[in-house]
Protein backbone atom coordinates (compact mmCIF):
# COMPACT_ATOMS: atom_id res chain seq x y z
CA UNK A 1 0.00 0.00 0.00
CA UNK A 2 1.02 3.63 -0.32
CA UNK A 3 2.77 5.19 2.68
CA UNK A 4 1.37 8.72 2.99
CA UNK A 5 4.81 9.98 3.98
CA UNK A 6 6.09 8.92 0.53
CA UNK A 7 3.64 11.33 -1.10
CA UNK A 8 4.24 13.97 1.58
CA UNK A 9 0.74 14.16 3.04
CA UNK A 10 0.72 15.42 6.65
CA UNK A 11 -0.64 13.06 9.33
CA UNK A 12 -3.48 15.45 10.23
CA UNK A 13 -4.77 15.47 6.65
CA UNK A 14 -4.64 11.66 6.55
CA UNK A 15 -6.79 11.49 9.70
CA UNK A 16 -9.38 13.84 8.16
CA UNK A 17 -9.53 11.79 4.94
CA UNK A 18 -9.76 8.51 6.89
CA UNK A 19 -12.68 9.89 8.91
CA UNK A 20 -14.49 10.81 5.69
CA UNK A 21 -14.07 7.33 4.21
CA UNK A 22 -14.08 5.00 7.23
CA UNK A 23 -17.09 2.69 7.39
CA UNK A 24 -18.79 4.44 4.46
CA UNK A 25 -22.26 3.12 3.58
CA UNK A 26 -24.09 3.23 0.26
CA UNK A 27 -27.27 1.95 -1.28
CA UNK A 28 -28.71 1.83 -4.77
CA UNK A 29 -31.86 3.73 -5.66
CA UNK A 30 -33.74 2.23 -8.59
CA UNK A 31 -37.25 3.10 -9.76
CA UNK A 32 -37.73 5.17 -6.62
CA UNK A 33 -36.95 2.26 -4.26
CA UNK A 34 -33.86 2.32 -2.05
CA UNK A 35 -32.03 -1.00 -1.81
CA UNK A 36 -30.15 -2.47 1.14
CA UNK A 37 -27.26 -0.50 2.56
CA UNK A 38 -23.75 -1.94 2.13
CA UNK A 39 -20.28 -0.98 3.31
CA UNK A 40 -18.03 0.62 0.70
CA UNK A 41 -14.64 -1.08 0.83
CA UNK A 42 -12.71 0.65 -1.99
CA UNK A 43 -12.79 3.68 -4.23
CA UNK A 44 -13.34 7.37 -3.74
CA UNK A 45 -16.66 9.10 -3.32
CA UNK A 46 -18.21 10.29 -6.56
CA UNK A 47 -18.55 14.06 -6.57
CA UNK A 48 -16.25 14.51 -3.57
CA UNK A 49 -13.97 17.50 -4.05
CA UNK A 50 -11.05 15.40 -2.75
CA UNK A 51 -11.52 12.59 -5.30
CA UNK A 52 -9.54 14.18 -8.18
CA UNK A 53 -6.74 15.21 -5.82
CA UNK A 54 -6.49 11.76 -4.24
CA UNK A 55 -6.52 10.12 -7.66
CA UNK A 56 -3.80 12.48 -8.96
CA UNK A 57 -1.62 11.79 -5.90
CA UNK A 58 -1.96 8.03 -6.37
CA UNK A 59 -1.27 8.19 -10.12
CA UNK A 60 1.81 10.33 -9.49
CA UNK A 61 3.03 7.86 -6.87
CA UNK A 62 2.41 4.91 -9.21
CA UNK A 63 4.40 6.48 -12.03
CA UNK A 64 7.28 7.62 -9.82
CA UNK A 65 7.68 4.32 -8.01
CA UNK A 66 7.17 2.17 -11.11
CA UNK A 67 9.67 4.01 -13.29
CA UNK A 68 12.20 5.64 -10.95
CA UNK A 69 14.64 2.72 -10.80
CA UNK A 70 14.43 1.86 -14.49
CA UNK A 71 16.82 3.25 -17.08
CA UNK A 72 14.04 4.10 -19.54
CA UNK A 73 12.64 7.02 -21.48
CA UNK A 74 13.94 9.46 -24.04
CA UNK A 75 17.19 11.31 -23.41
CA UNK A 76 16.36 14.72 -22.01
CA UNK A 77 18.40 17.63 -20.69
CA UNK A 78 21.40 17.29 -18.37
CA UNK A 79 21.40 13.49 -18.63
CA UNK A 80 17.86 13.08 -17.34
CA UNK A 81 15.22 11.04 -19.17
CA UNK A 82 11.59 11.77 -20.07
CA UNK A 83 9.64 8.54 -19.80
CA UNK A 84 6.02 9.53 -19.20
CA UNK A 85 3.42 12.22 -19.73
CA UNK A 86 0.42 12.04 -17.41
CA UNK A 87 -2.93 13.77 -17.22
CA UNK A 88 -5.38 12.15 -14.80
CA UNK A 89 -5.62 8.53 -15.97
CA UNK A 90 -4.29 9.29 -19.48
CA UNK A 91 -0.67 8.19 -19.59
CA UNK A 92 1.88 8.25 -22.39
CA UNK A 93 5.00 6.11 -21.98
CA UNK A 94 7.97 7.26 -24.07
CA UNK A 95 10.97 5.25 -25.24
CA UNK A 96 12.93 4.41 -28.37
CA UNK A 97 13.42 0.74 -27.48
CA UNK A 98 10.89 -2.08 -27.61
CA UNK A 99 12.56 -3.82 -24.67
CA UNK A 100 12.43 -0.72 -22.45
CA UNK A 101 8.83 0.04 -23.53
CA UNK A 102 7.80 -3.45 -22.43
CA UNK A 103 9.72 -2.99 -19.18
CA UNK A 104 7.88 0.29 -18.47
CA UNK A 105 4.48 -1.15 -19.39
CA UNK A 106 5.01 -4.14 -17.10
CA UNK A 107 6.29 -1.98 -14.21
CA UNK A 108 3.35 0.45 -14.39
CA UNK A 109 0.82 -2.36 -14.70
CA UNK A 110 2.35 -4.22 -11.74
CA UNK A 111 2.36 -1.12 -9.51
CA UNK A 112 -1.21 -0.16 -10.47
CA UNK A 113 -2.41 -3.73 -9.95
CA UNK A 114 -1.20 -3.66 -6.34
CA UNK A 115 -3.69 -0.85 -5.75
CA UNK A 116 -6.55 -2.49 -7.63
CA UNK A 117 -6.14 -0.34 -10.75
CA UNK A 118 -5.73 -1.97 -14.16
CA UNK A 119 -4.92 -0.93 -17.70
CA UNK A 120 -7.73 -1.21 -20.22
CA UNK A 121 -5.94 -2.81 -23.17
CA UNK A 122 -8.72 -1.63 -25.51
CA UNK A 123 -7.81 1.99 -24.71
CA UNK A 124 -4.04 1.45 -24.96
CA UNK A 125 -2.21 2.13 -28.21
CA UNK A 126 1.37 1.96 -29.45
CA UNK A 127 2.53 4.56 -31.96
CA UNK A 128 5.98 3.89 -33.40
CA UNK A 129 7.82 6.80 -34.93
CA UNK A 130 11.20 6.60 -36.63
CA UNK A 131 13.01 3.29 -36.37
CA UNK A 132 11.89 0.52 -34.05
CA UNK A 133 13.34 -2.69 -35.37
CA UNK A 134 11.56 -5.14 -33.06
CA UNK A 135 8.05 -6.03 -34.24
CA UNK A 136 7.18 -8.11 -31.17
CA UNK A 137 3.94 -6.92 -29.59
CA UNK A 138 3.98 -5.00 -26.32
CA UNK A 139 1.99 -6.99 -23.77
CA UNK A 140 -0.13 -5.89 -20.84
CA UNK A 141 -1.35 -8.79 -18.80
CA UNK A 142 -2.16 -11.53 -21.29
CA UNK A 143 -3.12 -9.18 -24.13
CA UNK A 144 -1.17 -7.42 -26.84
CA UNK A 145 -1.48 -3.65 -27.18
CA UNK A 146 -2.52 -2.58 -30.69
CA UNK A 147 -0.07 -0.66 -32.84
CA UNK A 148 -1.58 2.23 -34.77
CA UNK A 149 -0.44 5.04 -37.06
CA UNK A 150 -2.16 7.71 -34.95
CA UNK A 151 -4.27 8.32 -31.87
CA UNK A 152 -5.81 11.29 -30.10
CA UNK A 153 -4.28 12.24 -26.74
CA UNK A 154 -5.91 15.10 -24.83
CA UNK A 155 -7.43 16.47 -28.03
CA UNK A 156 -4.24 16.39 -30.12
CA UNK A 157 -3.24 13.72 -32.58
CA UNK A 158 -0.02 11.80 -32.10
CA UNK A 159 1.10 10.28 -35.39
CA UNK A 160 3.86 7.89 -36.40
CA UNK A 161 5.29 10.47 -38.83
CA UNK A 162 5.19 13.27 -36.20
CA UNK A 163 2.80 15.27 -38.38
CA UNK A 164 0.56 17.99 -36.90
CA UNK A 165 -1.67 18.17 -40.00
CA UNK A 166 -4.70 16.61 -38.31
CA UNK A 167 -4.72 19.22 -35.53
Amino acid sequence: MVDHKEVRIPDGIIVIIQNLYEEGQSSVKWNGAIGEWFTVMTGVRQGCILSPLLFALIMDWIMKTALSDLDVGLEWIHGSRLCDLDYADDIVLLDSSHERMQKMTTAVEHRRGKLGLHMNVDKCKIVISNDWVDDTEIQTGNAAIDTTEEFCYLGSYVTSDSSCDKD
Side-chain angles (χ1 to χ4, degrees):
M1 209 52 176
V2 179
D3 180 354
H4 69 279
K5 291 181 183 355
E6 281 186 67
V7 280
R8 299 183 180 144
I9 300 174
D11 292 340
I13 299 297
I14 295 299
V15 170
I16 291 169
I17 294 170
Q18 284 174 331
N19 288 338
L20 283 171
Y21 282 89
E22 216 166 60
E23 299 180 25
Q25 297 272 309
S26 289
S27 70
V28 176
K29 184 176 182 179
W30 188 68
N31 282 343
I34 297 176
E36 290 186 38
W37 288 86
F38 57 92
T39 302
V40 178
M41 305 302 280
T42 62
V44 293
R45 294 182 179 184
Q46 296 295 314
C48 177
I49 195 165
L50 279 176
S51 297
L53 174 63
L54 293 174
F55 187 79
L57 286 170
I58 292 302
M59 290 304 297
D60 186 58
W61 179 85
I62 288 169
M63 299 309 292
K64 281 182 182 174
T65 58
L67 303 176
S68 64
D69 292 336
L70 301 178
D71 184 26
V72 294
L74 304 176
E75 290 183 34
W76 200 237
I77 53 176
H78 305 297
S80 64
R81 299 182 80 84
L82 176 64
C83 56
D84 65 303
L85 304 173
D86 315 323
Y87 182 79
D89 64 343
D90 292 325
I91 297 168
V92 174
L93 299 177
L94 304 165
D95 208 297
S96 58
S97 154
H98 174 278
E99 179 184 346
R100 290 190 308 256
M101 182 62 75
Q102 182 63 66
K103 193 182 291 187
M104 284 193 296
T105 303
T106 302
V108 170
E109 181 181 41
H110 177 74
R111 184 64 61 171
R112 290 174 79 149
K114 286 186 171 213
L115 299 177
L117 301 172
H118 302 283
M119 290 185 195
N120 181 343
V121 73
D122 296 328
K123 292 184 177 181
C124 296
K125 301 291 179 234
I126 302 285
V127 174
I128 300 170
S129 61
N130 298 330
D131 298 326
W132 187 333
V133 293
D134 194 332
D135 63 353
T136 310
E137 296 173 321
I138 300 291
Q139 299 283 318
T140 178
N142 295 328
I145 300 175
D146 290 336
T147 300
T148 186
E149 294 295 314
E150 67 180 27
F151 75 100
C152 188
Y153 178 70
L154 301 179
S156 294
Y157 282 87
V158 177
T159 63
S160 60
D161 65 357
S162 303
S163 168
C164 297
D165 293 342
K166 204 153 188 184
D167 286 334

